[in-house]
Amino acid sequence: MSNSSGRGLQANVLGTFDTAVMAIAGSAPAYSIAATTAVLVGAVGLASPAALLYCALPMLGIALAYRHLGRIDTNAGAAYSWVGRTLHPFLGFLSGWALVVSTTLFMVAGSLPAGSLTLALFDEGLADSTAWSTAVGAGWFLLMLGVVLGGARLTVRAQLVMSGVELAILVLFAVLAFLHSGRARAFDWSWFGLGQFDGVSGFAAGALVAAFYYWGWDVTSNLSEETRDSRRTTGLAGLIGLGVVFVLFEVYTIAVNVVLTRDEIDRDAANVLGALGEAVWPGWGGKLLVVAVMLSTIATLETTLVQVTRSLFAMGRDRTMPAAFGRVHRRWNTPWVAVAVVGAVALVLLVAANALGSVGEILSDAISAIGLQIALYYGLTGLAAVVAYRKLLLRSPAAFLLGGVWPLCGALFMFWIFVESLGELSGPAIVIGLGGLALGLVPLLRYRTSDYYRPTRLDASCAIPAHAVPGHRGAYDSLPTDF
């Protein structure tokens, strides 16, 4: 199964539609709503729609940063490469490591609900068992591991089926929820106001959870080496995916506020979406939305595997991690060593999670820990875009706004919620979040002689024509990279 030296991923496999589907699946709309709504409501109460709105604005700045950086550096490592070549190699490695740790944690946070939801279709009693949920979730995880190992084309085909069914069910129930006559409370525009938050710390706690909602659209950048016209496609697909999931998140958060009481939300914390479905369509509703959440969870396990294995592939290729991670399967053109190692580590953590408590407790701590890591590497990437494009930002007002101000505001927002939320999180969440990042010191010190730590600086003014700046009419139509 070994590869010849220098063998890379299979180029030109994916198109714009394929990568847009991957971006939507990466944010896992049904899973995020089902598993995270109770955590968000616990943090900010009825201000859930406001938390998602005010986090979406800076998140759009980060998506713009990804789009701009993808124009000048096509790399499966994405933030790992960009931050390292603009800010500092140490910060670049930290960005890549934060993604690796957060995605590995998500294997646990995602596999448990996948198992629990599958069991819920047949026996509600079994669904509450962490042991049974772990066993079934591990089965789904291994299946997705095989799909990802089979290559980008197989991965996208599986994704089209799972996400297609999921989105169809979500649209149906969005309509049913707003036609539903039963009301826990009347809709109130104040749910979008800043006054609903319990001070600055409450806002930060909600923003951290909201960041987890959106996380995952950036999988398009990790697929850039396998995408046609990737300098244009990956950034555009990321923006499309972010826009679609924003609408879904807002619609369903409002629906939950209107239809469900706080007690109902707390009682069904691990699957709020199922409770909503049962309320608007008793009998079939809960089951259909359980199917949607199950498919969403399995689908996002797949995109998460893509992100972590492509990141490890780039690190192995650069020798900042064991070189074996950079090996590509001769037949499937996938980083098979990275896939195998991630699979083994995630399964060990999944089994170990049995000792940590219930599914709901594990999810709450894991989501908060992952939120810290997301905020860190998203913030560094937003800052990297501003540095890379700094010489072009004054070419036009649009360039200044879309390439400078917005990504910078997104970066500062991410750093702010990282720092502000440290005082609000539980001990286990902080230990998992910061401890996971600290583990990166081991490979950092072990492989510090890599050429990655002596980078060619990433400068947009040297990589693209003067007229092709962010916001310029016709910009980026045909750009050379700086390779």
Side-chain angles (χ1 to χ4, degrees):
M1 295 177 73
S2 63
N3 67 295
S4 59
S5 179
R7 184 179 178 87
L9 303 170
Q10 186 174 3
N12 302 320
V13 176
L14 309 177
T16 305
F17 179 75
D18 299 327
T19 48
V21 170
M22 293 295 285
I24 295 169
S27 291
Y31 166 78
S32 296
I33 297 164
T36 318
T37 298
V39 181
L40 185 59
V41 170
V44 299
L46 294 174
S48 300
L52 289 168
L53 172 62
Y54 297 125
C55 190
L57 296 174
M59 188 64 75
L60 180 56
I62 303 301
L64 289 169
Y66 268 77
R67 189 182 190 197
H68 298 333
L69 290 166
R71 297 288 186 180
I72 55 176
D73 183 11
T74 299
N75 192 296
Y80 155 78
S81 173
W82 302 332
V83 175
R85 296 181 62 192
T86 53
L87 303 182
H88 192 279
F90 167 76
L91 294 177
F93 180 85
L94 186 63
S95 297
W97 182 255
L99 187 147
V100 168
V101 174
S102 58
T103 49
T104 303
L105 285 175
F106 182 78
M107 304 302 174
V108 178
S111 296
L112 282 169
S116 179
L117 290 162
T118 303
L119 291 167
L121 292 173
F122 306 99
D123 189 327
E124 290 288 348
L126 286 178
D128 293 330
S129 167
T130 304
W132 276 104
S133 296
T134 299
V136 177
W140 281 120
F141 176 74
L142 288 171
L143 178 61
M144 289 302 100
L145 203 70
V147 170
V148 170
L149 183 62
R153 196 181 303 278
L154 176 61
T155 298
V156 168
R157 286 175 178 170
Q159 197 60 253
L160 288 172
V161 174
M162 292 185 291
S163 295
V165 175
E166 173 198 355
L167 291 176
I169 295 174
L170 285 179
V171 170
L172 170 64
F173 277 88
V175 175
L176 292 176
F178 281 92
L179 294 177
H180 182 57
S181 58
R183 292 286 188 271
R185 60 187 65 84
F187 172 77
D188 192 333
W189 283 106
S190 69
W191 296 343
F192 292 93
L194 290 170
Q196 289 280 348
F197 294 103
D198 183 19
V200 174
S201 60
F203 177 78
L208 189 70
V209 178
F212 178 82
Y213 267 86
Y214 293 113
W215 176 53
W217 54 265
D218 51 311
V219 65
T220 60
S221 296
N222 297 106
L223 287 166
S224 61
E225 295 184 32
E226 298 157 271
T227 304
R228 293 188 297 275
D229 191 17
S230 64
R231 284 169 290 154
R232 182 190 66 85
T233 300
T234 56
L236 176 61
L239 288 169
I240 292 171
L242 182 59
V244 170
V245 297
F246 167 72
V247 172
L248 288 171
F249 290 155
E250 286 290 8
V251 166
Y252 271 90
T253 306
I254 294 169
V256 167
N257 275 1
V258 169
V259 176
L260 300 180
T261 66
R262 182 63 183 268
D263 287 342
E264 289 172 327
I265 294 171
D266 291 340
R267 188 184 64 227
D268 295 290
N271 185 14
V272 171
L273 201 54
L276 179 67
E278 189 64 33
V280 301
W281 189 2
W284 279 100
K287 293 290 186 183
L288 280 176
L289 276 176
V290 166
V291 170
V293 178
M294 182 185 74
L295 289 174
S296 178
T297 310
I298 297 165
T300 201
L301 280 176
E302 183 191 79
T303 60
T304 306
L305 279 165
V306 167
Q307 278 198 284
V308 66
T309 55
R310 268 49 175 188
S311 296
L312 287 173
F313 164 77
M315 291 173 153
R317 182 173 58 188
D318 290 344
R319 304 297 196 271
T320 58
M321 292 283 276
F325 286 140
R327 293 180 183 170
V328 175
H329 194 281
R330 287 186 178 275
R331 178 179 177 185
W332 298 317
N333 292 98
T334 50
W336 67 271
V337 176
V339 172
V341 171
V342 166
V345 171
L347 286 173
V348 169
L349 291 177
L350 185 58
V351 173
N354 268 292
L356 297 179
S358 70
V359 174
E361 291 169 344
I362 294 168
L363 283 179
S364 180
D365 288 336
I367 287 168
S368 297
I370 291 170
L372 282 175
Q373 293 152 2
I374 295 166
L376 179 64
Y377 87 82
Y378 273 174
L380 289 172
T381 307
L383 192 58
V386 178
V387 173
Y389 278 84
R390 65 192 182 281
K391 298 178 183 177
L392 302 178
L393 297 181
L394 299 181
R395 297 291 177 88
S396 73
F400 184 70
L401 174 63
L402 301 179
V405 174
W406 211 329
L408 180 60
C409 288
L412 294 177
F413 183 82
M414 293 297 163
F415 292 143
W416 176 75
I417 62 174
F418 178 90
V419 174
E420 186 68 26
S421 60
L422 284 177
E424 303 297 320
L425 296 180
S426 67
I430 293 176
V431 170
I432 295 169
L434 299 185
L437 292 174
L439 286 175
L441 291 174
V442 176
L444 179 68
L445 296 175
R446 171 67 176 82
Y447 298 98
R448 64 185 182 277
T449 59
S450 164
D451 287 343
Y452 171 84
Y453 294 104
R454 296 180 293 277
T456 302
R457 307 307 294 180
L458 191 61
D459 186 342
S461 65
C462 300
I464 63 177
H467 69 275
V469 296
H472 191 284
R473 182 178 176 85
Y476 307 138
D477 289 337
S478 180
L479 304 185
T481 66
D482 60 343
F483 288 165

